[in-house]
Amino acid sequence: MNILVINCGSSSLKYQLINMKNEEVLAKGLAERIGIYGSRLKHTPKDGDSVIVEGAMPSHKDAVKYVLDALMNKEYGVISSTDEINAVGHRVVHGGEEFNKSTLLTDDVLEAVEKCSDLAPLHNPANLIGINACKELMPETPMVGVFDTAFHQTMPEKAFLYGIPYEYYEKHKIRRYGFHGTSHSFVSKRTAEILGKDIEDLKIVVCHLGNGASICAVDGGKSVDTSMGLTPLEGLIMGTRSGDIDPAIIEFLYKKEKLNLEEIMNILNKKSGALGISQVSSDFRDIEEEMDKGNKQAKTTMDVYAYRVAKYVGSYAAAMNGIDAIVFTAGLGENNKDVRKEICDYLEFLGVDVDDEKNNCRGIEKDFSKDGAKVRSLVVPTNEELMIAQETKEIVQ
Ligand code: AMP
């Protein structure tokens, strides 16, 4: 069984074709600049070099056509017809309270997903465009939606309610939803496997530290709290997002800088976080380079970042009455030993104890705790595409 995994953004489309017999990636790629000048597809078949296909992609449907053509290309393709795609798994960012698990995308379900667009106006419409484009081009192929929010639907009310009038939850469903659920779920399951324990018996904190970053308390395999909220803006300091701030800052900026709401939200989403504090870059590789040159602001950025993550881990240890493992994943979590070390050093009181030599690793599964440490510290690379494919397979079967 081959499953095509699609992750559709407003002007991009990422894909992987996975053979579910052995979970091998047959091909993967990215269509960029959809709907604007200079669109192109980068396609990488297994055991082959990447190819760049340039051509007009005025719509997502065109992009999907390019993807299918590349997958079936005589030279660099990996299948001979779309019949060899048995199902398509789509990443859908927001499933609201409607969806607590992955779902077959019937017309009724798509209508419900559209209703969630209010909650994720930047993401859900793009996801829907991708789904509809695939449905048009492969009408007989089952499509499954895998929601970023679904894993967090197990959070109790005390974790998901905000301290604002309850009527806003009742009327508008304003509450914490959380994101990166596919990653938190995948990584926590894999952690239990690595530790050779039943996930039901584990209290795990997963730190998904990428350009977008969130942290999740996983108790007995279930999400009980997470740092992102109604939108992905809340929580940790991110590449360009502020994470938690005093909400009154919005009014303050409005008055002092004469900015309107749209401009302020743009600053909080796109010009804040690591980029905003460091004034260097949203990418921690650049920030580290500046640190090495003695840039104090870059060092401050790293300190603010690590401190915020450590505070969240501490609060989740309180929420779960202890933790057994802290796990790092995504670009920064998997690759940056200094950030991991700085965070873990705050957590010695919990029983976290890092082996610096073992921590000197990148992008591989590793338990980097000292032998005998009470709380295990691990790197577990995330694989959201594989998780989407696994969920899709389960549903279509
Ligand atoms: P992501 O959104 O998961 O791609 O993560 C992006 C962040 O991860 C950026 O801040 C990068 O600095 C960091 N990152 C990604 N790859 C590496 C790498 N190979 N070495 C160090 N940092 C990396």
Side-chain angles (χ1 to χ4, degrees):
M1 172 184 258
N2 294 332
I3 291 181
L4 179 62
V5 176
I6 299 272
N7 182 355
C8 205
S10 55
S11 66
S12 69
L13 188 157
K14 274 196 257 176
Y15 64 95
Q16 280 193 11
L17 185 67
I18 302 178
N19 175 356
M20 295 311 289
K21 245 189 220 151
N22 51 6
E23 299 190 337
E24 182 184 30
V25 177
L26 299 175
K28 62 180 174 183
L30 169 70
E32 286 179 293
R33 301 179 62 85
I34 301 167
I36 49 177
Y37 170 77
S39 37
R40 59 187 220 147
L41 177 81
K42 183 178 179 193
H43 172 84
T44 313
K46 71 166 178 142
D47 316 323
D49 293 333
S50 298
V51 281
I52 304 285
V53 186
E54 291 187 14
M57 296 179 204
S59 73
H60 285 76
K61 191 172 162 190
D62 301 297
V64 176
K65 272 189 201 155
Y66 271 84
V67 170
L68 296 178
D69 285 349
L71 289 171
M72 294 185 290
N73 186 282
K74 290 229 155 50
E75 233 176 279
Y76 47 78
V78 291
I79 52 174
S80 49
S81 95
T82 52
D83 292 346
E84 291 174 55
I85 300 173
N86 304 96
V88 184
H90 293 270
R91 175 186 182 212
V92 182
V93 168
H94 218 307
E97 285 188 331
E98 280 300 301
F99 299 103
N100 60 8
K101 55 180 185 314
S102 305
T103 311
L104 197 65
L105 293 168
T106 60
D107 289 345
D108 288 350
V109 168
L110 283 177
E111 216 173 283
V113 172
E114 206 156 342
K115 285 199 185 127
C116 299
S117 288
D118 245 11
L119 294 166
L122 296 179
H123 295 99
N124 273 32
N127 300 154
L128 277 164
I129 289 172
I131 294 165
N132 287 324
C134 287
K135 276 193 134 198
E136 270 185 57
L137 293 166
M138 293 178 276
E140 304 303 324
T141 313
M143 309 268 154
V144 170
V146 180
F147 302 90
D148 271 20
T149 49
F151 179 61
H152 302 299
Q153 278 298 302
T154 46
M155 274 190 291
E157 210 173 31
K158 65 183 176 190
F160 75 65
L161 275 185
Y162 288 117
I164 58 173
Y166 192 72
E167 66 186 269
Y168 298 136
Y169 169 56
E170 291 179 307
K171 268 204 288 197
H172 307 299
K173 296 285 169 216
I174 296 177
R175 51 159 285 179
R176 175 182 311 287
Y177 288 97
F179 297 86
H180 293 139
T182 313
S183 175
H184 289 302
S185 170
F186 178 87
V187 168
S188 53
K189 278 184 194 150
R190 190 68 204 118
T191 299
E193 284 167 11
I194 294 167
L195 295 177
K197 298 234 165 94
D198 191 335
I199 196 161
E200 303 253 324
D201 302 328
L202 287 173
K203 294 170 181 179
I204 301 171
V205 174
V206 180
C207 305
H208 178 113
L209 310 180
N211 194 29
S214 74
I215 179 161
C216 182
V218 184
D219 195 348
K222 294 199 166 82
S223 167
V224 293
D225 207 345
T226 191
S227 58
M228 282 179 168
L230 173 75
T231 75
L233 185 54
E234 193 184 349
L236 304 177
I237 305 256
M238 304 178 218
T240 62
R241 293 183 208 138
S242 64
D244 300 336
I245 58 163
D246 178 346
I249 290 173
I250 293 174
E251 187 198 18
F252 206 81
L253 278 176
Y254 162 75
K255 285 185 179 159
K256 293 279 178 194
E257 294 279 329
K258 309 274 182 284
L259 296 169
N260 65 33
L261 197 54
E262 202 177 319
E263 288 166 330
I264 296 170
M265 293 317 292
N266 190 47
I267 287 170
L268 297 179
N269 273 300
K270 306 249 172 80
K271 297 188 177 156
S272 299
L275 171 68
I277 301 175
S278 70
Q279 306 196 320
V280 167
S281 166
S282 62
D283 192 309
F284 271 86
R285 282 168 285 202
D286 303 332
I287 293 171
E288 283 216 302
E289 213 177 290
E290 279 297 311
M291 265 168 61
D292 294 344
K293 287 186 209 153
N295 182 332
K296 277 201 184 136
Q297 195 87 344
K299 171 74 179 120
T300 304
T301 308
M302 184 75 106
D303 291 345
V304 175
Y305 186 91
Y307 179 67
R308 174 84 54 97
V309 177
K311 278 208 300 186
Y312 263 99
V313 179
S315 69
Y316 290 165
M320 294 193 287
N321 191 20
I323 53 175
D324 299 303
I326 165 167
V327 194
F328 293 89
T329 195
L332 196 57
E334 290 168 27
N335 293 297
N336 193 315
K337 66 176 180 0
D338 298 328
V339 169
R340 290 195 297 260
K341 169 79 175 148
E342 199 165 330
I343 295 166
C344 288
D345 279 351
Y346 282 107
L347 303 167
E348 276 177 12
F349 75 101
L350 286 173
V352 172
D353 200 357
V354 168
D355 181 321
D356 290 334
E357 231 168 82
K358 290 185 193 161
N359 184 34
N360 192 4
C361 66
R362 268 175 190 277
I364 52 163
E365 286 183 351
K366 185 100 171 185
D367 180 341
F368 62 93
S369 347
K370 275 194 185 140
D371 295 340
K374 186 170 151 242
V375 174
R376 309 311 298 174
S377 309
L378 295 96
V379 176
V380 176
T382 192
N383 194 339
E384 289 167 278
E385 288 78 12
L386 177 59
M387 182 85 189
I388 291 172
Q390 287 170 343
E391 299 254 318
T392 302
K393 179 182 165 191
E394 206 177 299
I395 284 174
V396 298
Q397 277 185 340

